[in-house]
Amino acid sequence: MSALRFSLRFNPMLSNITLIQTKSLLFSFSSFSFSVRKPSKTLCSSSNSLLHTNGGTSNSSPLSGLEDELVGYIFGKKKATEVAHLVWRHVLHKGDIVIDATCGNGYDTVAMLKMVADESGHGRVYGMDIQTEALENTSSLLDETVTQKEKELVKLLPICHSRMDEVLPENTAVRLVAFNLGYLPGGDKGIITTSKTTLLALEASKKMLILGGLISLVVYVGHPGGREELETVEAFASGLCVDGWICCKFQMLNRPLAPVLVFLFKR
């Protein structure tokens, strides 16, 4: 199985959880604890936990109700991007406005569109990438997977995500901003996202996000500059107001090149 570190920010310092393999799997830190027990995989949580076992949902966190998905990730049965998409489903509503800050090959753009598109036509997806190849790939995938009416809800922009606040209409109420940080899969590995532009994009996202919104990041660290970019994301998250944000990080301990999941939830 995979060792996993889960960090959750309730105070200025991110807390770490160590995964220990015994007859049960135990996670614990200060005011949060839960266990995964075989074979039922029941998650038992403390009163301060963000994960609940009674079937109820909480408006305080996008992780509520995601126990099965997180267990699947812990046991290596779900990819980081799959978990990200599942978290989005717990945050987004039909008609929402969302941003794909790094279109890549378009899979996130399509996933977002399917979550926000409805007959009213109010839902919008703003997708951006500095590479023409990425935007072309995204457009082609949209042609293959959605209707023309749905595709009209997507606006693809050939710009750096650091400039997102320059191109969106003023006072746009954004529910989700998603990043896949690294290089274009199948593309030029020399063209990567950078700490400087990602920090600017995060600052812009923070201002545009509505209450109950989410900044979602899948950070790839196996290339030059990737680890530095992760440190930039972590520093940004650590500086967010405790009362206004819940910041979580999921990281494999024994797979140093595995992508790192980061969720910044504005409550």
Side-chain angles (χ1 to χ4, degrees):
M1 62 169 290
S2 301
L4 173 73
R5 182 171 66 191
F6 170 90
S7 301
L8 176 64
R9 182 172 179 272
F10 282 109
N11 53 59
M13 297 298 293
L14 286 173
S15 301
N16 292 333
I17 293 175
T18 301
L19 178 64
I20 303 173
Q21 184 176 12
T22 59
K23 291 183 180 179
S24 65
L25 304 179
L26 177 64
F27 300 73
S28 67
F29 64 93
S30 60
S31 62
F32 179 100
S33 66
F34 67 94
S35 62
V36 186
R37 301 190 181 278
K38 297 178 180 179
S40 63
K41 297 183 180 178
T42 300
L43 294 180
C44 304
S45 62
S46 71
S47 60
N48 291 326
S49 172
L50 294 178
L51 301 177
H52 303 275
T53 58
N54 60 4
T57 59
S58 168
N59 291 328
S60 64
S61 169
L63 299 181
S64 300
L66 282 170
E67 293 88 348
D68 290 343
E69 287 82 359
L70 293 178
V71 169
Y73 180 63
I74 290 168
F75 285 97
K77 295 180 180 179
K78 290 189 179 296
K79 297 178 180 178
T81 50
E82 291 180 294
V83 175
H85 289 185
L86 290 164
V87 171
W88 300 351
R89 290 185 183 279
H90 284 250
V91 174
L92 294 178
H93 309 286
K94 295 296 185 181
D96 277 340
I97 297 173
V98 298
I99 298 174
D100 185 351
T102 49
C103 281
N105 288 315
Y107 294 103
D108 285 350
T109 307
V110 170
M112 290 178 184
L113 178 60
K114 290 185 177 295
M115 293 179 203
V116 303
D118 63 5
E119 293 300 323
S120 72
H122 292 148
R124 287 288 185 278
V125 180
Y126 291 91
M128 51 198 68
D129 206 293
I130 61 171
Q131 297 188 68
T132 301
E133 179 184 0
L135 296 176
E136 290 175 348
N137 291 347
T138 299
S139 181
S140 295
L141 185 63
L142 288 166
D143 288 335
E144 295 170 6
T145 55
V146 305
T147 66
Q148 183 59 38
K149 186 176 181 180
E150 288 174 325
K151 187 178 180 181
E152 291 173 359
L153 301 178
V154 180
K155 187 170 185 179
L156 299 178
L157 303 164
I159 63 166
C160 176
H161 53 216
S162 63
R163 297 176 53 204
M164 64 174 67
D165 55 347
E166 298 177 19
V167 294
L168 265 69
E170 190 174 358
N171 298 321
T172 299
V174 177
R175 177 84 63 179
L176 169 69
V177 184
F179 298 80
N180 263 358
L181 300 178
Y183 54 82
L184 174 65
D188 184 350
K189 294 183 179 181
I191 303 176
I192 61 172
T193 55
T194 66
S195 296
K196 180 180 179 180
T197 56
T198 294
L199 180 57
L200 291 172
L202 287 171
E203 293 287 358
S205 301
K206 180 179 70 173
K207 296 174 183 177
M208 296 178 357
L209 208 66
I210 61 174
L211 294 179
L214 179 73
I215 300 174
S216 169
L217 304 102
V218 179
V219 187
Y220 291 86
V221 296
H223 61 280
R227 189 68 58 180
E228 176 188 350
E229 194 166 20
L230 175 61
E231 291 172 356
T232 297
V233 171
E234 290 174 336
F236 173 83
S238 296
L240 293 174
C241 173
V242 173
D243 293 333
W245 294 82
I246 297 175
C247 303
C248 306
K249 178 179 74 171
F250 296 83
Q251 182 175 22
M252 294 294 177
L253 292 177
N254 62 345
R255 298 181 183 179
L257 301 184
V260 179
L261 270 167
V262 180
F263 298 113
L264 313 178
F265 179 66
K266 187 174 183 178
R267 57 181 180 178

